[in-house]
Amino acid sequence: MSTGLSQLSFFQPDLPSGLEYLPDFVSGEEAGYLVGKIDAQPWRSDLKRRVQHYGYRYDYKVRHAREEDYLGPLPPFLQVLAERLTHAGHFGSAPDQVIVNEYMPGQGISAHVDCRPCFGDVIASLSLLSSCVMRLENRKISQQIDLTLEPGSLFVLSGEARHVWTHAIPARKSDIINGQKKPRSRRLSLTFREMRFT
C-alpha cells in the first residue's frame, strides 16, 4: 500500500489533516551514511532509550525549552537535511533542534503531542533501519490510525496532526504490516524541530 497505512487501518478514511508521509525521502546509501555518522557520536542514556540531542538539549522531565541549553550549531550531516526540509517547503526557516532516538525491538514511546510552547508548528521525523507502526489518535473524535513508517521515510506533522492528534510507537517486538507479522530490528528516528522560547 503506497499510502504507508498498515493493514489494520486500511479502511480508515484519510490520514489526519496536516500529516504528510514521504516514502524513500533518503536513499539506502544516504541512510547508511547517516547511521554511520550517528553511531560515531556519544549517546545519552537518561531515558529508557538512547538519545542524542543537537542544537538544543530538551529536558523531557520539565518539558521546557531554555536558551541556555544551546549545544551549538547542527553538525553538517544534519544541517544538510535541515536545509533540504526547508527548501522542500516543510519549514519556513531551517530547524535548529534535532533529537535522535534509538529504538530496540520492544521499545516504544507513549502517546504525546510535542510540547506546543517549546517547538514550532512543524515537526518532521526521518526513520532509519527498521520499519515500525506509529499510532495516531484523535481522542476528541475517538479515531485511531496506524501508519507504517518504512526505513528512509519522512513524516511531517503540521496543523491538526501537530496540535490535536497524539502519536505513539507501541512498545512491541513486531508489527502487523499488510497482513503479515514483521519483526522489528534496531530503528533510529531523527526528529527536526524549531525551538521557541517564552
Side-chain angles (χ1 to χ4, degrees), residues 57-74:
R57 186 180 70 83
Y58 177 65
D59 190 330
Y60 283 86
K61 292 177 182 175
V62 299
R63 291 180 63 83
H64 185 64
R66 304 183 308 174
E67 291 183 72
E68 56 263 39
D69 290 328
Y70 183 62
L71 300 171
L74 298 182

Side-chain angles (χ1 to χ4, degrees), residues 69-134:
D69 290 328
Y70 183 62
L71 300 171
L74 298 182
F77 75 97
L78 292 176
Q79 187 62 39
V80 167
L81 284 173
E83 291 172 3
R84 182 173 165 188
L85 290 167
T86 307
H87 293 153
H90 299 300
F91 289 89
S93 58
D96 55 2
Q97 197 261 355
V98 179
I99 184 168
V100 179
N101 285 288
E102 178 190 60
Y103 296 93
M104 301 303 288
Q107 291 182 316
I109 188 169
S110 58
H112 67 284
V113 172
D114 285 48
C115 179
R116 293 185 185 93
C118 311
F119 305 117
D121 290 330
V122 178
I123 309 290
S125 191
L126 176 67
S127 293
L128 302 175
L129 296 177
S130 177
S131 62
C132 78
V133 169
M134 180 175 72

Side-chain angles (χ1 to χ4, degrees), residues 15-22 88-90 147 154-158 161:
L15 292 179
S17 173
L19 188 151
E20 189 173 2
Y21 178 75
L22 304 168
H90 299 300
L147 176 66
L154 179 83
F155 73 87
V156 182
L157 302 176
S158 64

